[in-house]
Amino acid sequence: MGLFSHYFPNVADSIPSFVQATWETIYMTAVTAIIAGVFGIFIGVLLVITGPDGIAKQSTFYTILDKIVNIFRSIPFIIMLAVIAPFTRIIVGTSIGTIAAIVPLIVSTTPFYARQIQNALLDVDEGIIEAAQAMGSSNLAIIFRVYLKEGLPAIIRSSVVVLISLIGLTAMAGTVGGGGLGNLAIMTGYQRFENDVTIMSMIIILVIVFIIQIIGDILAKKTDHENIN
Amino acid sequence: MAQVELKNIDVTFKQKHQSIKAVSDVSLSIEKGDIFGIVGYSGAGKSTLVRVVNRLQEPSSGEVIINGENIEKVSGSELRSVRRKIGIIFQHFNLMNARTIANNVEYPLLGTGVSKKDRKAKSERLLKLVGLYDKKDYYPSQLSGGQKQRVAIARALASDPEILISDEATSALDPKTTQSILRLLQKLNKDLNLTILLITHEMDAVKSVCNKVAVMDSGKVVEKGSLLSVFSNPQNDLTRDFIETTNQIKPALRVLSHQKDFVNYDDRRLVELQYTGDTTSNPVIIELFEKFNVTANIIFGNVEFIQGVPLGHLIVTLNGSDDGIKKAKDYLHDQEIQVYNIDLAKVREQEALEEKEEA
Ligand SMILES: Nc1ncnc2c1ncn2[C@@H]1O[C@H](COP(=O)(O)OP(=O)(O)OP(=O)(O)O)[C@@H](O)[C@H]1O
Ligand SMILES: [Mg+2]
């Protein structure tokens, strides 16, 4: 412990803030991931089935949805935080705090994830979809029994990418009082020149990222029966 | 009543700058128990045509009648149950990578009210039928092409179809595996009285299993009929091309066309004789000598069996007087032996042409 407090003097003094900040980061990431995950998969599936060569082609609907996704994808998160604040207040009653940070996180992550899901599902062999149709599957059955099942390894891989970038976004949540490790690193570490706090925040974030990456790789490998090496 | 009846089917693909007529006024009638071959080069419209049969492709015009029912108007769950009665196997197998072999075979039964236990029993029975029971827990990526196609066949049979469509199902397989898949289809046709639609660009496959054949070119059916009638008396040039690929006559002629002894043979005296059935040629050849003093010298012979009926080809030189040869040919004709004059200069010309195209 002596060595630790030597190199990380300020960290040693503020263990509770680290626990708190880590929890906030995990909390924001998890809640956003679940909600944006559901919306993202829903929108991604809609893009695939209504898109060109989709099983329920709807050109106008697709074009509109596609544009909306593009627009939301291109708004930088930090601006989204501000722009969306009134809307956040309507939904969660406040525009400050961890909960309030989750709303813009969802709004930013959903279109990104939807696009990733779309790409993952478009990789499912068209021939397999056609075979399912020929075997008398309904569109709903094709979505659940073919697209989501065949696309699962790719969905897992892109989920990892999205989750990691989501953790990046939570670091900015501090600007609306969302807390989290990013906030701790900037507010305490950077602004008060407590370098060890910044470094420790970074280390914890890296550990979380590695864990997600490792679990993702294992799951992707486990579900991927197409590319067996 | 025909099992599948296609009436005046047209399929036009409209694109921005042009429209492609992929299928043009096709009418076919496929009886129960037929193994019906549809042969044509790439782009002839074969796949488009068969996709019309289960309405994966809407025809621009024409009627599709299955077991007496016009399926033009059916939709939703009714269409899906029509589709379940038509199994398809594809060139690229299209098996689901995320499911085991057994689960692939069970797939068509999902959501049809068949219990899990019955699904399992059925997939096991079908996998035994195609000889892959021991691989039931494997994934498709662990199988060879031929094995994948067997799984695809088992899967196509899971919903007890009455019609099995094979769209280039053997095109990605080696000749030996192709033969074993064709034998399997033939066995299914016999044992289950399954009607089979065999789409292919290999006339050899048609020759070995089909009882009827239609030849497609640029969206049109240019020739159709029983296998024997088409093989023994092809009317269309394309059909002849396809038939040539299944026997050795063309290569034999090519060899002859470069041999000194034959180079100057006049085309009335170098002929190809074609006969069907049990008419053996030997007595006829003796008769030609006895009756017309014409000697027939056999250069090349080839007998094949089309649906059990022998179909023979002989390349012979005829020697005798001009008058004798003419009479001999008429006589052969009366014996229902077809006589084609062979022009070796033309054979050489064509060979040169093909070489040029290849280069
Ligand atoms: N969805 C489509 N849109 C536009 N054109 C199409 C479409 N499907 C097929 N075609 C065209 O229709 C024609 C017939 O295609 P089809 O796939 O039926 O040929 P095929 O006889 O099955 O050929 P192959 O032996 O290569 O499978 C081709 O010219 C093809 O380009
Ligand atoms: Mg085809």
Side-chain angles (χ1 to χ4, degrees), chain A residues 172-200:
Chain A
M172 285 183 256
T175 44
V176 292
L181 288 163
N183 187 43
L184 188 66
I186 299 297
M187 294 304 188
T188 313
Y190 185 68
Q191 291 183 359
R192 289 200 226 147
F193 305 104
E194 295 177 1
N195 265 339
D196 59 324
V197 171
T198 315
I199 288 170
M200 184 49 75

PDB file of all heavy atoms in Angstrom, chain A residues 172-200:
ATOM      1  N   MET A 172     -17.962  12.372 -21.540  1.00  0.00           N
ATOM      2  CA  MET A 172     -18.378  13.765 -21.748  1.00  0.00           C
ATOM      3  C   MET A 172     -19.619  14.104 -20.930  1.00  0.00           C
ATOM      4  O   MET A 172     -20.047  15.259 -20.887  1.00  0.00           O
ATOM      5  CB  MET A 172     -18.661  13.994 -23.224  1.00  0.00           C
ATOM      6  CG  MET A 172     -17.388  14.098 -24.043  1.00  0.00           C
ATOM      7  SD  MET A 172     -17.769  14.466 -25.742  1.00  0.00           S
ATOM      8  CE  MET A 172     -17.504  12.895 -26.496  1.00  0.00           C
ATOM      9  N   ALA A 173     -20.198  13.079 -20.329  1.00  0.00           N
ATOM     10  CA  ALA A 173     -21.443  13.306 -19.595  1.00  0.00           C
ATOM     11  C   ALA A 173     -21.223  14.235 -18.406  1.00  0.00           C
ATOM     12  O   ALA A 173     -22.157  14.845 -17.900  1.00  0.00           O
ATOM     13  CB  ALA A 173     -22.025  11.977 -19.127  1.00  0.00           C
ATOM     14  N   GLY A 174     -19.959  14.351 -18.006  1.00  0.00           N
ATOM     15  CA  GLY A 174     -19.640  15.234 -16.884  1.00  0.00           C
ATOM     16  C   GLY A 174     -20.115  16.661 -17.114  1.00  0.00           C
ATOM     17  O   GLY A 174     -20.519  17.351 -16.177  1.00  0.00           O
ATOM     18  N   THR A 175     -20.115  17.085 -18.372  1.00  0.00           N
ATOM     19  CA  THR A 175     -20.509  18.465 -18.675  1.00  0.00           C
ATOM     20  C   THR A 175     -21.951  18.759 -18.263  1.00  0.00           C
ATOM     21  O   THR A 175     -22.321  19.904 -18.102  1.00  0.00           O
ATOM     22  CB  THR A 175     -20.358  18.759 -20.180  1.00  0.00           C
ATOM     23  OG1 THR A 175     -20.886  17.663 -20.893  1.00  0.00           O
ATOM     24  CG2 THR A 175     -18.906  18.969 -20.538  1.00  0.00           C
ATOM     25  N   VAL A 176     -22.782  17.725 -18.106  1.00  0.00           N
ATOM     26  CA  VAL A 176     -24.142  17.974 -17.615  1.00  0.00           C
ATOM     27  C   VAL A 176     -24.296  17.355 -16.233  1.00  0.00           C
ATOM     28  O   VAL A 176     -25.394  16.991 -15.820  1.00  0.00           O
ATOM     29  CB  VAL A 176     -25.238  17.445 -18.571  1.00  0.00           C
ATOM     30  CG1 VAL A 176     -25.236  18.251 -19.855  1.00  0.00           C
ATOM     31  CG2 VAL A 176     -25.059  15.965 -18.848  1.00  0.00           C
ATOM     32  N   GLY A 177     -23.184  17.175 -15.561  1.00  0.00           N
ATOM     33  CA  GLY A 177     -23.250  16.654 -14.200  1.00  0.00           C
ATOM     34  C   GLY A 177     -23.573  15.183 -14.140  1.00  0.00           C
ATOM     35  O   GLY A 177     -24.106  14.676 -13.154  1.00  0.00           O
ATOM     36  N   GLY A 178     -23.220  14.489 -15.187  1.00  0.00           N
ATOM     37  CA  GLY A 178     -23.523  13.066 -15.229  1.00  0.00           C
ATOM     38  C   GLY A 178     -22.563  12.222 -14.402  1.00  0.00           C
ATOM     39  O   GLY A 178     -22.798  11.058 -14.149  1.00  0.00           O
ATOM     40  N   GLY A 179     -21.454  12.841 -14.033  1.00  0.00           N
ATOM     41  CA  GLY A 179     -20.467  12.102 -13.242  1.00  0.00           C
ATOM     42  C   GLY A 179     -19.691  11.123 -14.089  1.00  0.00           C
ATOM     43  O   GLY A 179     -19.558  11.292 -15.301  1.00  0.00           O
ATOM     44  N   GLY A 180     -19.146  10.089 -13.441  1.00  0.00           N
ATOM     45  CA  GLY A 180     -18.411   9.071 -14.176  1.00  0.00           C
ATOM     46  C   GLY A 180     -16.916   9.329 -14.168  1.00  0.00           C
ATOM     47  O   GLY A 180     -16.431  10.359 -13.694  1.00  0.00           O
ATOM     48  N   LEU A 181     -16.191   8.343 -14.674  1.00  0.00           N
ATOM     49  CA  LEU A 181     -14.728   8.394 -14.623  1.00  0.00           C
ATOM     50  C   LEU A 181     -14.160   9.527 -15.470  1.00  0.00           C
ATOM     51  O   LEU A 181     -13.159  10.139 -15.112  1.00  0.00           O
ATOM     52  CB  LEU A 181     -14.158   7.049 -15.087  1.00  0.00           C
ATOM     53  CG  LEU A 181     -14.351   5.893 -14.098  1.00  0.00           C
ATOM     54  CD1 LEU A 181     -14.148   4.559 -14.788  1.00  0.00           C
ATOM     55  CD2 LEU A 181     -13.400   6.050 -12.911  1.00  0.00           C
ATOM     56  N   GLY A 182     -14.802   9.809 -16.574  1.00  0.00           N
ATOM     57  CA  GLY A 182     -14.329  10.886 -17.437  1.00  0.00           C
ATOM     58  C   GLY A 182     -14.382  12.202 -16.691  1.00  0.00           C
ATOM     59  O   GLY A 182     -13.430  13.001 -16.701  1.00  0.00           O
ATOM     60  N   ASN A 183     -15.502  12.411 -16.020  1.00  0.00           N
ATOM     61  CA  ASN A 183     -15.700  13.622 -15.235  1.00  0.00           C
ATOM     62  C   ASN A 183     -14.637  13.756 -14.149  1.00  0.00           C
ATOM     63  O   ASN A 183     -14.040  14.807 -13.957  1.00  0.00           O
ATOM     64  CB  ASN A 183     -17.099  13.570 -14.629  1.00  0.00           C
ATOM     65  CG  ASN A 183     -17.455  14.866 -13.937  1.00  0.00           C
ATOM     66  OD1 ASN A 183     -17.176  15.942 -14.466  1.00  0.00           O
ATOM     67  ND2 ASN A 183     -18.019  14.764 -12.751  1.00  0.00           N
ATOM     68  N   LEU A 184     -14.401  12.634 -13.481  1.00  0.00           N
ATOM     69  CA  LEU A 184     -13.413  12.624 -12.403  1.00  0.00           C
ATOM     70  C   LEU A 184     -12.025  12.995 -12.951  1.00  0.00           C
ATOM     71  O   LEU A 184     -11.302  13.803 -12.367  1.00  0.00           O
ATOM     72  CB  LEU A 184     -13.370  11.229 -11.764  1.00  0.00           C
ATOM     73  CG  LEU A 184     -12.525  11.078 -10.507  1.00  0.00           C
ATOM     74  CD1 LEU A 184     -13.126  11.891  -9.371  1.00  0.00           C
ATOM     75  CD2 LEU A 184     -12.436   9.609 -10.108  1.00  0.00           C
ATOM     76  N   ALA A 185     -11.703  12.426 -14.090  1.00  0.00           N
ATOM     77  CA  ALA A 185     -10.392  12.680 -14.681  1.00  0.00           C
ATOM     78  C   ALA A 185     -10.216  14.151 -15.015  1.00  0.00           C
ATOM     79  O   ALA A 185      -9.151  14.730 -14.784  1.00  0.00           O
ATOM     80  CB  ALA A 185     -10.216  11.821 -15.937  1.00  0.00           C
ATOM     81  N   ILE A 186     -11.264  14.759 -15.561  1.00  0.00           N
ATOM     82  CA  ILE A 186     -11.160  16.166 -15.968  1.00  0.00           C
ATOM     83  C   ILE A 186     -11.261  17.102 -14.757  1.00  0.00           C
ATOM     84  O   ILE A 186     -10.385  17.940 -14.523  1.00  0.00           O
ATOM     85  CB  ILE A 186     -12.277  16.514 -16.982  1.00  0.00           C
ATOM     86  CG1 ILE A 186     -12.128  15.641 -18.237  1.00  0.00           C
ATOM     87  CG2 ILE A 186     -12.242  18.003 -17.348  1.00  0.00           C
ATOM     88  CD1 ILE A 186     -10.846  15.847 -18.997  1.00  0.00           C
ATOM     89  N   MET A 187     -12.336  16.938 -14.003  1.00  0.00           N
ATOM     90  CA  MET A 187     -12.616  17.879 -12.914  1.00  0.00           C
ATOM     91  C   MET A 187     -11.557  17.823 -11.813  1.00  0.00           C
ATOM     92  O   MET A 187     -11.109  18.846 -11.330  1.00  0.00           O
ATOM     93  CB  MET A 187     -13.988  17.600 -12.287  1.00  0.00           C
ATOM     94  CG  MET A 187     -15.128  17.858 -13.239  1.00  0.00           C
ATOM     95  SD  MET A 187     -15.076  19.554 -13.869  1.00  0.00           S
ATOM     96  CE  MET A 187     -16.631  19.618 -14.725  1.00  0.00           C
ATOM     97  N   THR A 188     -11.184  16.633 -11.411  1.00  0.00           N
ATOM     98  CA  THR A 188     -10.208  16.503 -10.335  1.00  0.00           C
ATOM     99  C   THR A 188      -8.790  16.399 -10.873  1.00  0.00           C
ATOM    100  O   THR A 188      -7.915  17.189 -10.538  1.00  0.00           O
ATOM    101  CB  THR A 188     -10.522  15.258  -9.478  1.00  0.00           C
ATOM    102  OG1 THR A 188     -11.906  15.260  -9.184  1.00  0.00           O
ATOM    103  CG2 THR A 188      -9.725  15.268  -8.191  1.00  0.00           C
ATOM    104  N   GLY A 189      -8.605  15.429 -11.766  1.00  0.00           N
ATOM    105  CA  GLY A 189      -7.257  15.147 -12.233  1.00  0.00           C
ATOM    106  C   GLY A 189      -6.654  16.284 -13.024  1.00  0.00           C
ATOM    107  O   GLY A 189      -5.593  16.807 -12.686  1.00  0.00           O
ATOM    108  N   TYR A 190      -7.362  16.721 -14.034  1.00  0.00           N
ATOM    109  CA  TYR A 190      -6.807  17.695 -14.967  1.00  0.00           C
ATOM    110  C   TYR A 190      -6.832  19.102 -14.383  1.00  0.00           C
ATOM    111  O   TYR A 190      -5.805  19.782 -14.347  1.00  0.00           O
ATOM    112  CB  TYR A 190      -7.601  17.636 -16.268  1.00  0.00           C
ATOM    113  CG  TYR A 190      -7.063  18.504 -17.362  1.00  0.00           C
ATOM    114  CD1 TYR A 190      -5.834  18.209 -17.961  1.00  0.00           C
ATOM    115  CD2 TYR A 190      -7.779  19.616 -17.812  1.00  0.00           C
ATOM    116  CE1 TYR A 190      -5.343  19.006 -18.978  1.00  0.00           C
ATOM    117  CE2 TYR A 190      -7.300  20.412 -18.832  1.00  0.00           C
ATOM    118  CZ  TYR A 190      -6.078  20.105 -19.409  1.00  0.00           C
ATOM    119  OH  TYR A 190      -5.589  20.894 -20.408  1.00  0.00           O
ATOM    120  N   GLN A 191      -8.005  19.505 -13.875  1.00  0.00           N
ATOM    121  CA  GLN A 191      -8.120  20.897 -13.449  1.00  0.00           C
ATOM    122  C   GLN A 191      -7.415  21.191 -12.125  1.00  0.00           C
ATOM    123  O   GLN A 191      -7.018  22.307 -11.875  1.00  0.00           O
ATOM    124  CB  GLN A 191      -9.602  21.292 -13.417  1.00  0.00           C
ATOM    125  CG  GLN A 191     -10.124  21.331 -14.853  1.00  0.00           C
ATOM    126  CD  GLN A 191     -11.551  21.781 -14.980  1.00  0.00           C
ATOM    127  OE1 GLN A 191     -12.214  22.061 -13.985  1.00  0.00           O
ATOM    128  NE2 GLN A 191     -12.029  21.844 -16.213  1.00  0.00           N
ATOM    129  N   ARG A 192      -7.281  20.135 -11.296  1.00  0.00           N
ATOM    130  CA  ARG A 192      -6.565  20.393 -10.042  1.00  0.00           C
ATOM    131  C   ARG A 192      -5.129  19.866 -10.083  1.00  0.00           C
ATOM    132  O   ARG A 192      -4.493  19.691  -9.048  1.00  0.00           O
ATOM    133  CB  ARG A 192      -7.298  19.735  -8.870  1.00  0.00           C
ATOM    134  CG  ARG A 192      -8.598  20.430  -8.526  1.00  0.00           C
ATOM    135  CD  ARG A 192      -8.990  20.064  -7.109  1.00  0.00           C
ATOM    136  NE  ARG A 192     -10.374  19.711  -7.026  1.00  0.00           N
ATOM    137  CZ  ARG A 192     -10.879  18.820  -6.193  1.00  0.00           C
ATOM    138  NH1 ARG A 192     -10.071  18.129  -5.403  1.00  0.00           N
ATOM    139  NH2 ARG A 192     -12.174  18.583  -6.156  1.00  0.00           N
ATOM    140  N   PHE A 193      -4.708  19.549 -11.298  1.00  0.00           N
ATOM    141  CA  PHE A 193      -3.341  19.063 -11.508  1.00  0.00           C
ATOM    142  C   PHE A 193      -3.028  17.813 -10.684  1.00  0.00           C
ATOM    143  O   PHE A 193      -1.910  17.622 -10.242  1.00  0.00           O
ATOM    144  CB  PHE A 193      -2.306  20.163 -11.228  1.00  0.00           C
ATOM    145  CG  PHE A 193      -2.563  21.402 -12.029  1.00  0.00           C
ATOM    146  CD1 PHE A 193      -3.124  22.524 -11.436  1.00  0.00           C
ATOM    147  CD2 PHE A 193      -2.293  21.419 -13.397  1.00  0.00           C
ATOM    148  CE1 PHE A 193      -3.390  23.660 -12.191  1.00  0.00           C
ATOM    149  CE2 PHE A 193      -2.562  22.558 -14.136  1.00  0.00           C
ATOM    150  CZ  PHE A 193      -3.109  23.677 -13.543  1.00  0.00           C
ATOM    151  N   GLU A 194      -4.029  16.985 -10.439  1.00  0.00           N
ATOM    152  CA  GLU A 194      -3.764  15.725  -9.742  1.00  0.00           C
ATOM    153  C   GLU A 194      -3.621  14.644 -10.809  1.00  0.00           C
ATOM    154  O   GLU A 194      -4.549  13.899 -11.102  1.00  0.00           O
ATOM    155  CB  GLU A 194      -4.896  15.410  -8.755  1.00  0.00           C
ATOM    156  CG  GLU A 194      -4.965  16.434  -7.629  1.00  0.00           C
ATOM    157  CD  GLU A 194      -6.101  16.201  -6.665  1.00  0.00           C
ATOM    158  OE1 GLU A 194      -6.862  15.220  -6.848  1.00  0.00           O
ATOM    159  OE2 GLU A 194      -6.238  17.010  -5.730  1.00  0.00           O
ATOM    160  N   ASN A 195      -2.436  14.602 -11.413  1.00  0.00           N
ATOM    161  CA  ASN A 195      -2.183  13.721 -12.549  1.00  0.00           C
ATOM    162  C   ASN A 195      -2.503  12.257 -12.278  1.00  0.00           C
ATOM    163  O   ASN A 195      -2.957  11.537 -13.148  1.00  0.00           O
ATOM    164  CB  ASN A 195      -0.714  13.821 -12.954  1.00  0.00           C
ATOM    165  CG  ASN A 195      -0.568  14.829 -14.073  1.00  0.00           C
ATOM    166  OD1 ASN A 195      -1.539  15.114 -14.758  1.00  0.00           O
ATOM    167  ND2 ASN A 195       0.628  15.376 -14.220  1.00  0.00           N
ATOM    168  N   ASP A 196      -2.211  11.817 -11.054  1.00  0.00           N
ATOM    169  CA  ASP A 196      -2.439  10.407 -10.746  1.00  0.00           C
ATOM    170  C   ASP A 196      -3.915  10.046 -10.843  1.00  0.00           C
ATOM    171  O   ASP A 196      -4.266   8.938 -11.225  1.00  0.00           O
ATOM    172  CB  ASP A 196      -1.887  10.071  -9.356  1.00  0.00           C
ATOM    173  CG  ASP A 196      -2.534  10.909  -8.266  1.00  0.00           C
ATOM    174  OD1 ASP A 196      -2.821  12.099  -8.527  1.00  0.00           O
ATOM    175  OD2 ASP A 196      -2.792  10.366  -7.179  1.00  0.00           O
ATOM    176  N   VAL A 197      -4.789  10.986 -10.552  1.00  0.00           N
ATOM    177  CA  VAL A 197      -6.234  10.729 -10.668  1.00  0.00           C
ATOM    178  C   VAL A 197      -6.610  10.524 -12.140  1.00  0.00           C
ATOM    179  O   VAL A 197      -7.338   9.599 -12.505  1.00  0.00           O
ATOM    180  CB  VAL A 197      -7.037  11.893 -10.041  1.00  0.00           C
ATOM    181  CG1 VAL A 197      -8.522  11.739 -10.342  1.00  0.00           C
ATOM    182  CG2 VAL A 197      -6.794  11.953  -8.539  1.00  0.00           C
ATOM    183  N   THR A 198      -6.061  11.362 -12.990  1.00  0.00           N
ATOM    184  CA  THR A 198      -6.323  11.224 -14.427  1.00  0.00           C
ATOM    185  C   THR A 198      -5.872   9.850 -14.916  1.00  0.00           C
ATOM    186  O   THR A 198      -6.597   9.143 -15.616  1.00  0.00           O
ATOM    187  CB  THR A 198      -5.556  12.305 -15.221  1.00  0.00           C
ATOM    188  OG1 THR A 198      -5.731  13.543 -14.554  1.00  0.00           O
ATOM    189  CG2 THR A 198      -6.060  12.389 -16.646  1.00  0.00           C
ATOM    190  N   ILE A 199      -4.645   9.509 -14.497  1.00  0.00           N
ATOM    191  CA  ILE A 199      -4.095   8.238 -14.976  1.00  0.00           C
ATOM    192  C   ILE A 199      -4.898   7.055 -14.451  1.00  0.00           C
ATOM    193  O   ILE A 199      -5.234   6.129 -15.211  1.00  0.00           O
ATOM    194  CB  ILE A 199      -2.605   8.130 -14.589  1.00  0.00           C
ATOM    195  CG1 ILE A 199      -1.820   9.119 -15.464  1.00  0.00           C
ATOM    196  CG2 ILE A 199      -2.085   6.708 -14.786  1.00  0.00           C
ATOM    197  CD1 ILE A 199      -0.386   9.290 -15.037  1.00  0.00           C
ATOM    198  N   MET A 200      -5.264   7.099 -13.184  1.00  0.00           N
ATOM    199  CA  MET A 200      -6.049   5.992 -12.624  1.00  0.00           C
ATOM    200  C   MET A 200      -7.412   5.884 -13.315  1.00  0.00           C
ATOM    201  O   MET A 200      -7.873   4.786 -13.620  1.00  0.00           O
ATOM    202  CB  MET A 200      -6.218   6.173 -11.098  1.00  0.00           C
ATOM    203  CG  MET A 200      -6.940   5.031 -10.405  1.00  0.00           C
ATOM    204  SD  MET A 200      -6.315   3.393 -10.810  1.00  0.00           S
ATOM    205  CE  MET A 200      -4.801   3.364  -9.887  1.00  0.00           C
TER     206      MET A 200
END
